[in-house]
Amino acid sequence: MEREKSLIKSVSFGLAILFGMIIYAYGFNVTKVNFETTRSEKRLTQLSRIMRALAHPSLFVYEKEELEVMAPIYLPCPKTQVQIHNPDTSDSYLILTPNCAGPGEIITVEGYNIWPNTKGPINFLALSGVNLTIGNLQSDANGYFKAKVKLPKRQPVDVAQMIRVLPRRNIGNPEFSDVAKSTWDKIIETVFLALLATTFGTLLAIPVSFFAARNLMSSQKSPLTNVAFSTIGWPLGILIGLQTALTFKSFVIQLFVEDVLIRSSIGSVLGIGLTWSVIQWLFPKKQDQSNLRKHKIVQSVTVILCVLISILTIYMIANLALVLGQVLIEPLGPIGFVGNFISQLGDVLIMVLPAATALLGGGTLGLAGNKLGQYVSDHMSPQVIKITNICATALAGAVIGGILGNTIDWFYQLDNPQQTLYLPMSIGAILGALVSLRISHKHPIPIGYVTYYVTRTILNATRSIEPLVMVIVFVVWVGIGPFAGSLALALHTIAALAKLYSEQVESIAPGPLEAVRATGANRLQTIVYAVIPQIIPPYISFTMYRWDINVRMSTIIGFAGGGGIGFLLQQNINLLDYRAASVQMLAIAIVVATMDYISAVIRERFV
Amino acid sequence: MLEIHNLTKIYDGKVIAVDNVSFEVKKGEFLAVIGLSGSGKSTLLRCINRLIEPTSGQIMWNNIDITSASQNEMRNVRRKIGMVFQHFNLVSRSKVITNVLSGRLGYINPALSLINRFPQKDIEMALKQLDRVGIADQAYKRADELSGGQQQRVGVARAMMQEPEIILADEPVASLDPVLAHSIMQYLEKLNKEDGVTILCSLHFLDLVHEYADRAIALNQGQLMFDGPPKEIDDARFRSIYGQEAKRVG
């Protein structure tokens, strides 16, 4: 029995090894492993040529001076006696042996009294004025050199043509080459590209990460009524928010057709003052709970008014920044880019504000829907809740169906409202009503889990696409250049960091969370007081790591048109200018190593 | 007055942690909850402020039905129920004073608290509470720089910030040495006697129960085995609570 077992064991072990061999054999076949190529002489010379070029980055250039020495050559040897060349032996001179030869024949060139220890080309100057390099010279300490060169195959000419040597030597101090200068420009661009991508990616990844953290989301459960009402509230709020923002935008633009600077300055100051005083009125220094309660409706109305005023004010400020920045560019002179920065910030604000307002509107109405639903399920009789539920879920289903249908219509341009609007809406409504009939009204819906899975899926899908691929879409959108690269990197950073962050949130100690919840803190307070203090060190650490990754990514994002140093690198590789490519590689290595060092220092300081 | 009627908690539909437990706690009482590890003490305490959702049963407190309270009502209920934990559950990277101030989160304006703004009188109150537990000088240190005993005092101060009517203490001294255990228990006793706070405290050591508790209840596998003054726990009762093989220590 024992022996049989050990036999089976050895046989299966042998089979496992065989199986492994087959897998690797197939792997070799698929990846076309061929070590013979690594030894072939031709490839080895090419390899050494490239390696030597890479080891000589063309960082510096010298001003050069040349010495021109010539000697006549006959190609081919003429029929008549040729005039013998008698150079002045006190100066530099060349001796050609023989001084006439047929096309393609080899002659010896010897030089005397050349500059010692210099290099330079040996040229053949044809009668037609064509200049061919046929070899190189390398003089010794005495200024002598000897080289064998092959004459070119050219049309026979009777008169003498010329062999010329041009030994060169450096004069003066070394200077940075053009390659080094353009590499410097591009590496700065690269670093800032990575900086912007990391900053914006991080800012957006933080809120997203909370939605992708299982431990925060798993406890979020709401009755069906809440879910239904907030599902209706969100899109409605988004629409209202978007509409409000766009109305304000056109209003501001109309208001500031002329005297833009003065008018928008006055508007901004007024707006800030008004918002400030309303906030002061809303939250007086001395808090009186009972007093606040009484004016709940007044309070809500003022809050809404306050938000509207601030949106308008932000538009005016953005407009001011946009114009002021442009005005500032001229007088600021060398730091005119600051003016451009202010102007661009204003532009970004104008661009982002509708989205932010839409989100705010959606959030507000979603929350209001949630509250309303909570009120209904707390205070109404079961029958009323049931009927409300059926209506609300049917409506919510119709809204979801309508949104889905519209999305499909946008992508595939079906232009058939029968199919893309009415059908999905009615299916959604029926499904919604069915759900509300099936689920008891007290049963909590794990809305947190739904959010968690949706967020995770979107993050994973986004993360799986490399920025190098993403940049293609952005290049189409905003044109070739570093802006497209930073957008692509920022998007990828959001997805990657949100995942890493959310895993950090998942691994925090649950105790403090429990303790803060027990004090009566609401959801947001729990996050601020129990979650955030725990996740700050890993967040900083991951952000630094991502900044490191982004610097490395941004060095190659130029390959796809995303700006940065990658563009130069690719260009030089394609031009086979390995010495220039070497400069760019060196720059990348220096930047990445420096980044690594800096991030280590920062991490040590904070973590 | 806290009334618990037929409270049951079943985890994942299988594990019965609390099994049909009913009892009452009078205002100002010091009630000890005893039982073996895993007997359902922690679950019972957490059901009272609904950190854990009970499966069935009712918890009535000052004529409020806690078990069916909405989220908003729970905020008002929880802020009047302080809690002290075995592992202190402080936010270790935050300052001591921030940890203490977090006890006020149920009272203050949520919007202002998000940017770490507490009313001046709350800050003064926090310093006063820290002074009361004897670590006022540690207020601006990070919580994890404190020793275990000091951390638990911060935990007590945090619970006191809630101006609680009840304190739920879940084995508050189980991670501390005997001397520190007594000092923490004395703070709880002081709260009970001076401020009239009702205290529900789960404990392991019977000597602590005898010394501090007015009344004790005992759980074994989720069932209520005993309810009465601590001195009535004789050998027979002891074995019914802790099992036939158990020996009394301390």
Side-chain angles (χ1 to χ4, degrees), chain A residues 283 287 289 371 374 378 511-512 514-525 528-530 533 537 606, chain B residues 46 49 51 70-71 75 78-79 81 85 89-91 93-94 102 105-107 109-110 113-114 116 118 158 162:
Chain A
F283 304 109
Q287 283 196 358
Q289 292 274 347
K371 281 255 161 83
Q374 188 69 50
D378 281 351
E514 189 181 35
V516 171
R517 263 198 327 138
T519 64
N522 65 21
R523 233 175 266 176
L524 222 49
Q525 287 175 322
V528 171
Y529 283 89
F606 282 96
Chain B
R46 280 170 173 74
N49 62 359
L51 283 179
S70 72
Q71 275 184 346
R75 180 173 152 95
R78 277 185 184 153
R79 70 182 186 191
I81 303 180
F85 301 86
N89 287 0
L90 303 181
V91 181
R93 287 182 56 86
S94 295
S102 69
L105 286 176
Y107 289 93
N109 187 326
S113 73
L114 294 187
N116 231 325
F118 286 91
R158 175 173 64 190
Q162 294 175 239

Side-chain angles (χ1 to χ4, degrees), chain A residues 256-269:
Chain A
F256 301 135
V257 177
E258 49 194 22
D259 299 337
V260 189
L261 214 53
I262 299 163
R263 284 189 189 184
S264 47
S265 311
I266 294 171
S268 307
V269 171

Side-chain angles (χ1 to χ4, degrees), chain A residues 225-238 358-374:
Chain A
T225 330
N226 300 21
V227 178
F229 275 120
S230 68
T231 313
I232 301 166
W234 266 97
L236 202 65
I238 288 177
L359 219 58
L360 186 71
T364 316
L365 278 201
L367 212 65
N370 193 26
K371 281 255 161 83
L372 186 67
Q374 188 69 50

Side-chain angles (χ1 to χ4, degrees), chain A residues 144-423:
Chain A
Y144 168 79
F145 79 87
K146 185 177 180 179
K148 284 189 188 310
V149 294
K150 193 178 179 184
L151 292 177
K153 291 180 176 133
R154 297 196 63 87
Q155 291 292 321
V157 179
D158 286 338
V159 292
Q161 303 181 74
M162 286 292 175
I163 291 282
R164 179 184 70 177
V165 299
L166 286 174
R168 288 169 182 160
R169 63 181 179 193
N170 301 331
I171 51 170
N173 292 321
E175 279 181 3
F176 281 112
S177 63
D178 285 346
V179 175
K181 283 175 193 156
S182 59
T183 304
W184 171 256
D185 281 351
K186 285 287 173 187
I187 200 80
I188 295 293
E189 186 180 301
T190 307
V191 170
F192 280 95
L193 192 160
L195 175 72
L196 292 190
T198 315
T199 313
F200 291 116
T202 307
L203 286 180
L204 288 169
I206 289 174
V208 175
S209 68
F210 294 123
F211 291 107
R214 183 185 279 265
N215 57 343
L216 291 187
M217 299 314 285
S218 64
S219 60
Q220 312 300 342
K221 290 178 181 161
S222 298
L224 191 61
T225 330
N226 300 21
V227 178
F229 275 120
S230 68
T231 313
I232 301 166
W234 266 97
L236 202 65
I238 288 177
L239 271 183
I240 292 174
L242 203 62
Q243 211 50 53
T244 316
L246 293 179
T247 314
F248 281 3
K249 187 177 171 182
S250 58
F251 172 70
V252 168
I253 289 173
Q254 275 173 11
L255 194 63
F256 301 135
V257 177
E258 49 194 22
D259 299 337
V260 189
L261 214 53
I262 299 163
R263 284 189 189 184
S264 47
S265 311
I266 294 171
S268 307
V269 171
L270 272 182
I272 293 173
L274 201 57
T275 319
W276 175 250
S277 48
V278 172
I279 290 176
Q280 284 297 313
W281 183 79
L282 263 179
F283 304 109
K285 279 271 177 338
K286 280 188 181 144
Q287 283 196 358
D288 193 353
Q289 292 274 347
S290 58
N291 203 13
L292 281 178
R293 283 275 152 70
K294 279 182 202 159
H295 306 297
K296 202 127 200 199
I297 296 171
V298 182
Q299 217 184 355
S300 316
V301 173
T302 0
V303 167
I304 293 172
L305 262 176
C306 184
V307 169
L308 289 181
I309 295 170
S310 13
I311 294 171
L312 194 60
T313 313
I314 294 173
Y315 261 125
M316 289 192 277
I317 294 172
N319 206 46
L320 179 66
L322 186 69
V323 181
L324 189 68
Q326 290 298 334
V327 173
L328 281 178
I329 290 179
E330 280 293 310
L332 280 178
I335 52 163
F337 61 86
V338 176
N340 186 45
F341 174 66
I342 294 171
S343 174
Q344 288 298 327
L345 278 189
D347 206 15
V348 167
L349 214 55
I350 290 174
M351 217 170 74
V352 169
L353 208 54
T357 325
L359 219 58
L360 186 71
T364 316
L365 278 201
L367 212 65
N370 193 26
K371 281 255 161 83
L372 186 67
Q374 188 69 50
Y375 182 81
V376 169
S377 62
D378 281 351
H379 293 86
M380 299 288 172
S381 64
Q383 284 85 4
V384 178
I385 296 175
K386 198 88 202 174
I387 293 167
T388 323
N389 268 0
I390 294 173
C391 298
T393 44
L395 195 55
V399 168
I400 293 175
I403 292 170
L404 280 180
N406 253 325
T407 318
I408 292 170
D409 187 38
W410 187 84
F411 273 111
Y412 300 103
Q413 295 174 301
L414 296 175
D415 281 334
N416 183 358
Q418 204 86 46
Q419 274 183 14
T420 58
L421 198 62
Y422 306 134
L423 188 69

